[in-house]
Amino acid sequence: MTTSRERIHTALEHRTPDRVPLDLGSTPTTGMHASTVYRLRQALHLDPPGTPVKVIEPFQMLGEIAPDLIEALGVDAVPVTGSTTFFGFRNEGWKPWTFFDGTPLLVPRDFNTDPEPNGDILMYPEGDRSAPPSGRMPYGGYYFDAIVRQPPLDEDNLNVEDNLEEFGPISDAELEHFRTEVERQYTGTDKAVVANFGGTSFGDIALVPAPWLKHPRGIRDIEEWYVSTATRQ
């Protein structure tokens, strides 16, 4: 019988597998909103009503695709992600949180939010309320938008290095985290293991506002970034 790992390897080698491989949640771009995960789990009778779903990616509010859901749907890939989220805090120390529509969730300990008078929800980099908020979820919305925290620009003294402060070598501790997680997923499942080295790309426009930094420097407004790319050579 073909395993999930073999199925994806076959497809990547441009050969025909026994069926089309299925990915759900091995990357941020193939994830599912936590409220939808909750409803799906209820529809499949995987949980008693009211059982919360973990939010494993808070920027998009993606829910955990747990092993029982993976097996129920025949998903072929599992994720290996970094130790911190897009807002700079770790996925640990889970606490209850309720979504606008009443969906029960579990969020990381440093998932610290404050409501605005209009019902919007503010999020903070590294969960630090002493820093300016870096994310906003509109009232009734489904995910956070990055808040532009761009300091005044000195047109005559723009420094490209200001926009590189968040990029650098992956630390030994983070590499060890990836090694441990890859080994756990590889030996513990027959799924294809997909590693996500978040925050290391120069081509993702979502990184420009840097919602995980407390006080980002440089050009952080996406519109300004595109204008600068076109006009400041």
Side-chain angles (χ1 to χ4, degrees):
M1 181 178 178
T2 301
T3 67
S4 290
R5 193 172 298 152
E6 292 167 342
R7 183 173 296 119
I8 288 185
H9 281 171
T10 299
L12 291 175
E13 291 172 350
H14 300 278
R15 296 184 289 116
T16 303
D18 59 331
R19 65 167 174 80
V20 176
L22 174 62
D23 175 21
L24 179 62
S26 77
T27 75
T29 52
T30 60
M32 179 181 288
H33 193 273
S35 62
T36 306
V37 173
Y38 175 81
R39 287 164 175 75
L40 180 58
R41 294 186 63 86
Q42 292 296 307
L44 294 173
H45 305 291
L46 295 177
D47 292 322
T51 303
V53 167
K54 283 184 177 179
V55 175
I56 48 89
E57 202 289 282
F59 190 63
Q60 300 179 80
M61 294 297 289
L62 301 182
E64 179 186 32
I65 309 300
D68 56 349
L69 183 55
I70 287 174
E71 294 305 319
L73 298 178
V75 174
D76 293 305
V78 291
V80 168
T81 61
S83 61
T84 58
T85 69
F86 204 56
F87 284 108
F89 49 76
R90 299 178 69 89
N91 267 338
E92 60 186 21
W94 302 95
K95 61 185 180 182
W97 200 78
T98 303
F99 201 61
F100 288 124
D101 62 4
T103 301
L105 303 173
L106 291 175
V107 297
R109 177 180 54 243
D110 291 327
F111 184 106
N112 294 327
T113 60
D114 285 315
E116 288 276 80
N118 66 352
D120 291 359
I121 295 175
L122 299 178
M123 175 73 82
Y124 298 87
E126 298 185 27
D128 185 354
R129 285 190 169 98
S130 69
S134 60
R136 177 189 300 274
M137 185 187 296
Y139 176 71
Y142 293 94
Y143 51 84
F144 286 92
D145 297 315
I147 294 176
V148 174
R149 298 163 297 148
Q150 178 174 289
L153 297 178
D154 182 349
E155 296 281 348
D156 297 323
N157 294 285
L158 292 175
N159 184 358
V160 67
E161 292 184 2
D162 287 344
N163 273 90
L164 300 179
E165 62 175 312
E166 62 266 41
F167 296 100
I170 300 175
S171 69
D172 289 342
E174 191 70 357
L175 287 174
E176 177 61 20
H177 164 80
F178 276 107
R179 187 198 66 77
T180 301
E181 285 298 292
V182 167
E183 183 176 350
R184 179 180 67 84
Q185 294 283 41
Y186 189 84
T187 60
T189 76
D190 68 352
K191 310 299 181 182
V193 180
V194 181
N196 298 275
F197 296 92
T200 58
S201 169
F202 286 99
D204 187 348
I205 195 64
L207 302 182
V208 170
W212 60 92
L213 294 180
K214 294 182 181 181
H215 302 284
R217 298 174 296 165
I219 299 173
R220 298 297 173 174
D221 184 291
I222 289 177
E223 180 179 354
E224 186 71 34
W225 177 268
Y226 281 125
V227 170
S228 181
T229 301
T231 63
R232 299 185 180 108
Q233 300 295 329

